[in-house]
Amino acid sequence: MLDIYRKTIWIMTGFFAVAVVAGRIVPRFSADPVVGMYAYVLPWIVAVVILLFVVGADEENRLTVGKVIIITLVGMLLVCAVIAVMLYLLVPAFPALWVLRVGWVLTIIGVVVESRLVNAENVAAAQQAAEERAEAKLSERITAQRQAQQEAQRRAVERERRKREKAARRK
């Protein structure tokens, strides 16, 4: 298992514990179920923000595995939040908080499964492919910039030639 997955699993599990505790404490202060939903969503958002920094600091994996991790976490957050809110609005008696609890667990399980599917060789190959694409884009930009400069020089030379011809006709 790659180190970045270990960190992700620990951070998400820790914030899930925070969310569970917050989910138990918040209803004592407010009976509104929406406030209880915030108790699960806010720690998730904080965990994703922290993981953005963790993934960003990982030079080796940020372009490959890091993107997959962040997309998984944000995608699951959005899906779970939308399902919870829709169930809250459409079925008032349904405990929408369970959708978020199950979503947390499914997200952590998803990251664990992802970590088992990804191995160092695949990451190295993906990293190499990402670097080659970046080099190709850079080369393309440089070529386009050179062509633009050459075209600008050609137009400048053509303008000068026209000015000289015009000046020669006047004399």
Side-chain angles (χ1 to χ4, degrees):
M1 181 185 302
L2 294 172
D3 190 44
I4 193 167
Y5 279 110
R6 239 181 237 103
K7 291 176 185 175
T8 302
I9 292 166
W10 277 106
I11 291 171
M12 288 303 289
T13 304
F15 275 94
F16 178 58
V18 169
V20 169
V21 170
R24 300 277 185 222
I25 294 173
V26 167
R28 294 179 184 166
F29 300 108
S30 174
D32 189 5
V34 175
V35 176
M37 285 186 210
Y38 283 121
Y40 282 90
V41 172
L42 290 178
W44 203 328
I45 292 171
V46 171
V48 169
V49 169
I50 290 172
L51 281 167
L52 281 171
F53 287 107
V54 170
V55 167
D58 189 350
E59 294 281 333
E60 295 175 9
N61 298 317
R62 95 173 117 196
L63 293 176
T64 53
V65 177
K67 287 195 291 192
V68 174
I69 291 171
I70 297 301
I71 289 170
T72 301
L73 298 178
V74 172
M76 286 298 289
L77 169 63
L78 291 175
V79 167
C80 292
V82 167
I83 291 172
V85 169
M86 293 304 292
L87 285 173
Y88 170 72
L89 294 174
L90 298 176
V91 186
F94 186 82
L97 288 180
W98 278 100
V99 173
L100 295 171
R101 289 177 186 142
V102 170
W104 266 96
V105 172
L106 289 177
T107 301
I108 293 170
I109 290 170
V111 171
V112 170
V113 169
E114 242 178 65
S115 72
R116 299 292 182 216
L117 295 175
V118 174
N119 58 27
E121 296 84 33
N122 291 346
V123 172
Q127 184 72 25
Q128 182 66 28
E131 287 173 4
E132 287 172 3
R133 282 193 303 273
E135 286 176 15
K137 282 183 182 179
L138 181 61
S139 157
E140 210 173 272
R141 285 184 193 147
I142 290 172
T143 303
Q145 190 177 15
R146 272 193 212 127
Q147 288 174 346
Q149 286 174 344
Q150 289 172 351
E151 183 64 26
Q153 287 175 346
R154 188 191 63 74
R155 281 183 277 168
V157 168
E158 185 67 27
R159 250 189 317 249
E160 280 297 318
R161 187 184 61 77
R162 281 192 217 129
K163 283 182 186 178
R164 286 187 199 137
E165 285 177 1
K166 202 174 191 182
R169 280 190 228 146
R170 287 186 189 160
K171 288 184 183 179

